[in-house]
Amino acid sequence: MSDVIKTPVQQRSIDKKNRLLKAGLDLMRERGYYHVNAAEIAKAAGVSTGIFYRYFENKMDLVLEIMNQIVNDSFKPLIQEFIQKDMDQTNFITFISKLLDELSEIHEGLGILHNDVNTLLSTDETKCNLWMTLEDQIMQLFVNAAKQSNLEMVNPEEKVHIAYNLVESYCHEKAFHKHDYIDYDILKQEIIKTLVHIIIA
């Protein structure tokens, strides 16, 4: 294992790290966090195990990097869209509908890994704090976006916190719980109405 975790600079090295991230996500979403090891991830990425440890301290380090990548690739473009639109109630409803679709797709894409990570974080305070910091960053991005919008939101921190947890609950239900008695089209519309009331009222 490398004593120093490196940040790749050359394109070839960046490509290797990205292949490790993709291979790790592909394997862990299907088999779970606990049933995949670094050597298997490295093999699937077409690199040596030593290369894995050049860029990641361990599997959890790789997972946190995946989450950061999701924030940069998915959340930040959505937030930019939120800021750039002349946001009124109609635009807000369209935006929330798109947000729910994209975030539920992200959750579904994490597969078994999602629940395994929640279990792991409950036993590792350091990693849990890192995860909470990431969640805080996501919510702060939305708070800052709300302040820059035309919505004139009162108590944005508190409202975004409520909205975030409501959206998370919807995504978990749609991606993992899948109750037979739930009509997900109706659930989505009810979530949208609730979010409009929370954010705009």
Side-chain angles (χ1 to χ4, degrees):
M1 181 182 302
S2 174
D3 293 329
V4 179
I5 306 301
K6 296 182 179 180
T7 299
V9 177
Q10 295 182 348
Q11 189 59 48
R12 183 178 174 185
S13 299
I14 292 170
D15 290 343
K16 286 180 182 178
K17 184 175 181 180
N18 287 337
R19 292 208 308 270
L20 284 164
L21 288 166
K22 183 180 184 307
L25 177 57
D26 288 346
L27 288 172
M28 288 190 277
R29 65 177 293 212
E30 293 183 6
R31 290 158 51 184
Y33 181 89
Y34 298 101
H35 300 288
V36 176
N37 60 44
E40 291 170 322
I41 294 171
K43 182 178 179 181
V47 301
S48 68
T49 305
I51 294 293
F52 177 96
Y53 287 113
R54 180 179 297 175
Y55 301 128
F56 305 104
E57 181 181 347
N58 49 39
K59 286 189 299 178
M60 191 65 211
D61 192 29
L62 180 140
V63 170
L64 290 170
E65 184 83 18
I66 289 170
M67 293 301 105
N68 271 309
Q69 198 173 66
I70 289 171
V71 170
N72 289 327
D73 293 347
S74 299
F75 281 93
K76 287 185 178 178
L78 281 169
I79 288 163
Q80 279 302 115
E81 181 180 336
F82 184 91
I83 293 171
Q84 290 168 1
K85 278 189 173 179
D86 184 17
M87 197 62 68
D88 56 20
Q89 182 163 326
T90 301
N91 285 340
F92 184 69
I93 290 170
T94 302
F95 173 80
I96 290 296
S97 179
K98 180 179 179 180
L99 178 74
L100 290 171
D101 289 343
E102 294 200 14
L103 295 189
S104 59
E105 185 176 326
I106 288 170
H107 279 75
E108 289 169 3
L110 292 174
I112 299 171
L113 173 62
H114 183 279
N115 290 336
D116 279 357
V117 168
N118 284 338
T119 301
L120 181 65
L121 292 176
S122 68
T123 61
D124 188 326
E125 185 176 353
T126 301
K127 293 296 189 285
C128 183
N129 288 337
L130 287 171
W131 194 271
M132 291 294 291
T133 298
L134 184 60
E135 283 197 335
D136 288 346
Q137 289 173 359
I138 293 169
M139 281 192 273
Q140 197 57 52
L141 287 170
F142 278 106
V143 168
N144 292 338
K147 289 178 178 178
Q148 294 179 55
S149 74
N150 298 323
L151 295 177
E152 299 181 356
M153 191 191 306
V154 178
N155 303 320
E157 287 84 1
E158 290 75 16
K159 287 184 174 181
V160 167
H161 184 83
I162 293 168
Y164 179 88
N165 283 282
L166 189 58
V167 170
E168 277 284 286
S169 178
Y170 166 80
C171 291
H172 291 171
E173 170 60 43
K174 191 168 184 291
F176 309 118
H177 301 155
K178 301 183 185 298
H179 289 102
D180 292 339
Y181 59 85
I182 295 290
D183 182 317
Y184 287 102
D185 290 333
I186 293 175
L187 180 63
K188 180 182 175 183
Q189 293 310 311
E190 291 298 325
I191 292 287
I192 290 172
K193 285 193 290 185
T194 303
L195 289 171
V196 167
H197 178 74
I198 291 170
I199 299 299
I200 296 180

